[in-house]
Amino acid sequence: MEFTSPTLQFHENGYEVQDPRIKPARGVGINRPSELPSTMDVLIVGEGPAGMTTAAQLSAFPELNVRLIEKRPSMLLVGQADGIQARSVETFQAFGFGQRIVEESYRITEMAFWKPDPNNPKNIIRTAVAPDDPAKISEFPHIIINQARVMQYFGDFMRNGPSKMVPDYGIRYVSHTIDESDEYPVKVQLLRDGKEFSVRTKYLVGADGARSQIRKDIGATRLGQQAFHSWGVMDTLSISNFPDLRTKCAIQSSQGSILLIPREGGQLTRMYVDLGVTDPNDNGKVRSTTIEQIIKYANNILHPYTVDVKDVAWHSVYEVGHRVTDRFDDVPAELVGQRLPRVFILGDACHTHSAKAGQGMNVSIQDGFNLAWKLGHVLMGLAPPSLLSSYTGERQVIAQNLIDFDLKWSSMMAAKPEDFESPTALEDFYVQTAEFPAGFMTEYQTSLLTGTKEHQALAKGYPVGKRFKSALVSRRSDGNPVELGHTALADGKYRIYVFADPPKAGQPSKVTDLAAWLEKNAASPLVGEGRLDWFDTKVIYQQPHLEFELLDAPVVFRPPYGKFKLMQYDRVFGVHPTHNIFEERGISREGAIVVVRPDQYVAQVLPLTATKELGEYFEGVMPHKYTNGKANGV
């Protein structure tokens, strides 16, 4: 994969010599107290993928006092999850570490399928090898890396950002109560060093895992089933004569099944080893299975091959369960529309499933990305508090879709070869459903945040409600090829991509008229004190970059910024010489406006002349009556 990341911007406030990823402290980052404050805007409980993503995104709002607590005494060193789907890598790119994490990861490019030898069923043979992304649905790879490293990268982003956020370790959540008459309505009881104390917050975020106490406290119900099928999982350094030890494999034998996943570093290998059906009345006896027994099961399944385990980095035993919580916030069904949420749950706290589809960490990251910018906008006074009700509405259906998919995949992995109607059923399912586990089937429905498909024909490759799919363009200022989607940072901003009509920059056109409206009209979402700071507006012309001049593009696409009001040079593009984005993404030659939410999902597709509709959309999600600055009482 070739990354074409946008050039880091710095020097806008004067010449700098330090690492440009380390931002000067602003807001709460200035003299940030090491002790947990008594009041705060958001308290996040849990340092897992969901909690850390939420904290990292909120760290981009240095005006907000946000803290993350974790009951462990220190940072995570070894994580259970390791599969990183392409959508997550795309998200990491927005946080500035996509390229770096890929460099140290194991990259999955294909999957091998092993089944009993028809001539000798006690032995297994390789029957197929399938590409991991046969449809080329993403320019990002499917990678394997320890969850702990992902948390460290998010931690670096937080610590290096203007708020200088770091987790507060050794603090355990106990309970909470709500008093809406207080400026900080949520009173949270915590425990540290055996002593209980309380803090107050405007919003509480529960990322406290599958046994979430916060889920129990808000009265949310887990719906689903326990499969009563157990698996042993082990990360090992081994010597083996199995030829595909460094290839992802689905292995089915007469003795059971293995999902084999190579790990980062060139030697570490993970095996999910089938331990068979368990008795629902044995009080979890299977969890006492030893590592020696797991290794023995693995060797039986791999016959005639063997694996000689030299070192075990981590191992566990688990029973498959498929559950999703009935709601992801503290508003009961009968009160939806009558009150607004104060408490949210995300990640394993609201959906649990098997590990074999590689979805747990990935979906949890998207939960956090979805919720965090909404909290940021509401607390900054940019959006109405009703925006927060969209979190449950959007993410619960995604979790249910995941449960349905995982139930099918894990059942197929546990089945015997003779149970399938077709000898290629497993690999066929893997190939045909590749887009779902990669994270690209999420499609948010029409709502306050997501428009209708009335004008979808203007940009067929950018379905409303789905994530904005990148494509190459040429930056006019220097001719560099740039992946347009990679310019979207995790900064809480809306993106307005303007795909031009046929005239060149500087000529009368619909783009010229739209730009004048965006810059000066009172109904424009960009007009008003501080509002321009929350938008990233770019233009893509139909001509190659050398066929028009940068300074002929309207000023709204190259706005002043920083201490010296320098010009933005990186928001005007022409088509790439070999990858025409208009053709690749089905964009009308009459042009189009594509509005993208801060979490990278397409919110609207509109004609270039639809200023009224554009203004109305943003008046719903970012009304002009809200001012830029921290709002009181939200």
Side-chain angles (χ1 to χ4, degrees), residues 1 7 67 110 119 195 217 385 389 506 533 634:
M1 166 186 174
T7 305
R67 305 291 286 229
E110 58 188 24
N119 298 319
K195 297 180 180 179
D217 288 349
S389 297
D533 295 339
V634 296

Side-chain angles (χ1 to χ4, degrees), residues 456 498 526 546:
Q456 187 66 75
V498 176
L526 278 61
L546 289 178

Side-chain angles (χ1 to χ4, degrees), residues 16-249:
E16 300 177 15
V17 294
Q18 70 172 18
D19 184 342
R21 294 184 180 88
I22 302 176
K23 307 297 182 184
R26 288 193 292 116
V28 297
I30 299 173
N31 300 319
R32 181 184 186 275
S34 58
E35 285 297 309
L36 200 66
S38 59
T39 61
M40 63 201 77
D41 292 304
V42 183
L43 176 63
I44 303 165
V45 180
E47 192 204 20
M52 285 293 276
T53 306
T54 306
Q57 174 66 102
L58 282 169
S59 74
F61 298 82
E63 299 85 354
L64 303 181
N65 192 343
V66 180
R67 305 291 286 229
L68 183 151
I69 62 171
E70 168 55 49
K71 62 185 178 182
R72 289 192 312 271
S74 61
M75 67 186 295
L76 183 71
L77 297 178
V78 178
Q80 297 181 14
D82 62 354
I84 306 294
Q85 303 289 349
R87 171 61 186 146
S88 293
V89 183
E90 186 175 67
T91 303
F92 298 160
Q93 185 73 357
F95 283 91
F97 60 85
Q99 182 169 356
R100 286 177 290 154
I101 202 168
V102 167
E103 288 173 351
E104 63 178 275
S105 301
Y106 171 81
R107 180 175 178 178
I108 296 176
T109 57
E110 58 188 24
M111 183 170 181
F113 293 83
W114 289 73
K115 297 176 182 177
D117 183 346
N119 298 319
N120 186 359
K122 292 183 179 180
N123 295 342
I124 56 170
I125 58 172
R126 187 195 299 117
T127 58
V129 177
D132 188 68
D133 182 8
K136 303 298 180 187
I137 57 178
S138 177
E139 75 277 14
F140 291 98
H142 180 186
I143 62 174
I144 302 295
I145 193 167
N146 191 286
Q147 174 185 324
R149 285 295 289 142
V150 177
M151 301 303 97
Q152 289 163 22
Y153 273 113
F154 275 125
D156 289 345
F157 179 88
M158 291 159 49
R159 184 173 54 254
N160 293 336
S163 64
K164 306 303 172 189
M165 192 189 306
V166 294
D168 295 282
Y169 293 105
I171 302 176
R172 182 183 295 271
Y173 167 87
V174 177
S175 64
H176 75 272
T177 56
I178 296 177
D179 176 6
E180 286 290 353
S181 67
D182 197 286
E183 181 183 358
Y184 297 88
V186 188
K187 182 179 180 181
V188 187
Q189 293 297 123
L190 303 173
L191 188 68
R192 178 176 52 201
D193 298 329
K195 297 180 180 179
E196 195 166 312
F197 66 103
S198 66
V199 298
R200 302 196 75 98
T201 182
K202 292 181 178 178
Y203 295 100
L204 174 65
V205 176
D208 51 340
R211 296 180 176 86
S212 170
Q213 183 60 46
I214 295 177
R215 180 187 66 237
K216 297 173 185 176
D217 288 349
I218 65 174
T221 303
R222 299 175 77 191
L223 307 173
Q225 61 183 353
Q226 187 85 7
F228 299 111
H229 198 110
S230 297
W231 297 77
V233 55
M234 56 182 179
D235 287 337
T236 68
L237 298 173
S238 307
I239 296 175
S240 176
N241 59 353
F242 181 66
D244 285 350
L245 199 67
R246 297 302 299 167
T247 301
K248 182 181 178 183
C249 296

Side-chain angles (χ1 to χ4, degrees), residues 325-331 336 341 343-345 370-371 374 387-398:
T325 307
D326 63 337
R327 51 190 166 85
F328 290 7
D329 60 37
D330 64 331
V331 181
V336 171
V343 184
F344 307 87
I345 55 174
N370 181 288
L371 175 63
K374 295 173 182 177
L387 181 68
L388 298 175
S389 297
S390 68
Y391 169 67
T392 279
E394 290 187 333
R395 295 307 298 172
Q396 187 185 29
V397 65
I398 302 305

Side-chain angles (χ1 to χ4, degrees), residues 2 24-25 99 143 184 206 285 298 303 368 442 577 608 613:
E2 178 186 359
Q99 182 169 356
I143 62 174
Y184 297 88
K285 181 180 178 181
H303 190 272
T442 295
L608 294 176
E613 293 91 335

